[in-house]
Amino acid sequence: MSVAEAAAEPIIEVKDLVAKYGSRVILDNVSLSVPRGEVTVILGGSGSGKTTLMRHIVGLNQPTSGRIIFMGQVLNELDRKAEIEVRRKMGVLFQGGALFNSMTVAENIALPLKEHTHLDDKVISIITKMKLDQVGLAGFGDLMPEQLSGGMKKRAGLARALAMDPEVLFVDEPSAGLDPITAAGLDQLLINLKKTFQMTIVVVTHELASLFLISDWVCMIHQGQIIFSGLLDDMKKSPDPRIIQFLNRKSEKTVYDPEEHLRSLTTEV
């Protein structure tokens, strides 16, 4: 199945999603589709709303309005018990790995299995070792998170996200805080997971290097609105000046007035 065919049968659909923090609109009628079995990159600059969008899809935030559809079910219309059951099919790697510092690496990975299954401890131990091996951390299970490098913490967080064999893996800013070589290794790991397990992966990033390496499908968000959704090659051909500026890494033209700046510092609020 081609990427275009997969996009026609999406595993996730977001329709007319509105998200507000107080009176501030963060996501403004956002609609997008996530193709099954592909790597979708949600792209955008800092403050564009891309992480907020991911948090709504995985259920950490509730939308002001709109619908989030996962495998045919409208998540924000399910009762709490049904919603939790569906969201177990999602794995999330947070930006910093989000490991519990009081637990060993292996205990961190085993935690979802202990909380959401009735598996025997021996079976959980075997699964934990398999997940560590999948992310290149075989033999590191007895270490504490503080004993890991930044890249290893991300891999350990990824192993935990994979513990329940999710239908969809969400990854928030995988390259954040990593050197280029370590970041490239993590990107390659995501590609290998997709190829090996036919996994659907959603990556939130602003990193162009990751975009060019891993993406099958791209959704670009700008100031809370989707301005592009499609294949990377088509995005590169887009005449939209906002996309051209982003891909060419051109800064905003900003004119500073020294007197106005001083007035802003000395004016009482």
Side-chain angles (χ1 to χ4, degrees):
M1 181 182 290
S2 67
V3 177
E5 289 171 331
E9 299 179 3
I11 192 168
I12 296 172
E13 293 178 274
V14 177
K15 295 189 176 182
D16 304 319
L17 181 66
V18 174
K20 295 181 180 180
Y21 292 152
S23 61
R24 184 185 175 199
V25 178
I26 307 300
L27 300 174
D28 187 7
N29 287 303
V30 166
S31 295
L32 61 87
S33 297
V34 174
R36 183 186 295 273
E38 306 292 348
V39 177
T40 294
V41 170
I42 299 177
L43 184 71
S46 298
S48 61
K50 58 187 185 297
T51 294
T52 298
L53 174 57
M54 189 197 83
R55 289 178 62 86
H56 278 77
I57 295 174
V58 303
L60 294 176
N61 295 108
Q62 290 299 312
T64 303
S65 62
R67 295 189 299 162
I68 300 167
I69 305 169
F70 179 76
M71 299 179 70
Q73 294 184 279
V74 183
L75 295 182
N76 49 317
E77 293 180 1
L78 297 175
D79 61 49
R80 188 58 181 164
K81 183 178 179 181
E83 181 187 358
I84 291 172
E85 192 63 34
V86 171
R87 292 195 189 279
R88 286 178 183 173
K89 299 177 182 178
M90 301 179 183
V92 184
L93 171 59
F94 296 100
Q95 201 172 129
L99 300 173
F100 292 101
N101 291 327
S102 60
M103 297 180 176
T104 66
V105 172
E107 288 170 341
N108 267 278
I109 297 165
L111 186 61
L113 296 165
K114 289 181 178 291
E115 287 193 344
H116 300 299
T117 74
H118 300 288
L119 294 172
D120 183 89
D121 285 347
K122 290 183 178 179
V123 175
I124 290 177
S125 178
I126 292 170
I127 294 173
T128 298
K129 290 177 181 178
M130 290 173 61
K131 300 307 176 183
L132 282 168
D133 186 59
Q134 283 179 11
V135 301
L137 289 181
F140 287 85
D142 291 334
L143 296 186
M144 302 301 289
E146 65 187 23
Q147 296 175 295
L148 302 181
S149 67
M152 293 169 76
K153 286 180 181 177
K154 294 257 180 135
R155 286 175 178 260
L158 179 57
R160 187 177 61 188
L162 295 170
M164 297 283 290
D165 293 324
E167 295 278 347
V168 183
L169 173 67
F170 292 88
V171 184
D172 187 17
E173 298 285 6
S175 301
L178 302 182
D179 65 81
I181 295 175
T182 303
L186 193 57
D187 284 342
Q188 188 59 54
L189 177 56
L190 294 176
I191 293 172
N192 294 343
L193 287 172
K194 177 234 173 177
K195 289 181 177 178
T196 303
F197 300 103
Q198 305 299 306
M199 184 176 291
T200 301
I201 302 176
V202 180
V203 178
V204 171
T205 189
H206 63 269
E207 295 285 351
L208 294 179
S210 292
L211 169 71
F212 296 143
L213 181 63
I214 68 176
S215 66
D216 297 306
W217 194 259
V218 185
C219 295
M220 183 166 181
I221 189 167
H222 177 77
Q223 295 182 358
Q225 295 183 319
I226 298 293
I227 61 173
F228 177 85
S229 183
L231 298 171
L232 178 60
D233 286 344
D234 292 334
M235 183 181 180
K236 291 177 179 178
K237 300 171 187 175
S238 173
D240 190 316
R242 297 166 296 182
I243 295 176
I244 293 172
Q245 180 186 31
F246 192 92
L247 294 181
N248 291 333
R249 300 182 73 244
K250 290 186 176 180
S251 64
E252 297 279 1
K253 292 182 179 180
T254 306
V255 178
Y256 293 100
D257 183 335
E259 293 184 2
E260 179 62 32
H261 178 66
L262 287 174
R263 278 196 295 272
S264 70
L265 294 176
T266 57
T267 300
E268 293 185 2
V269 178

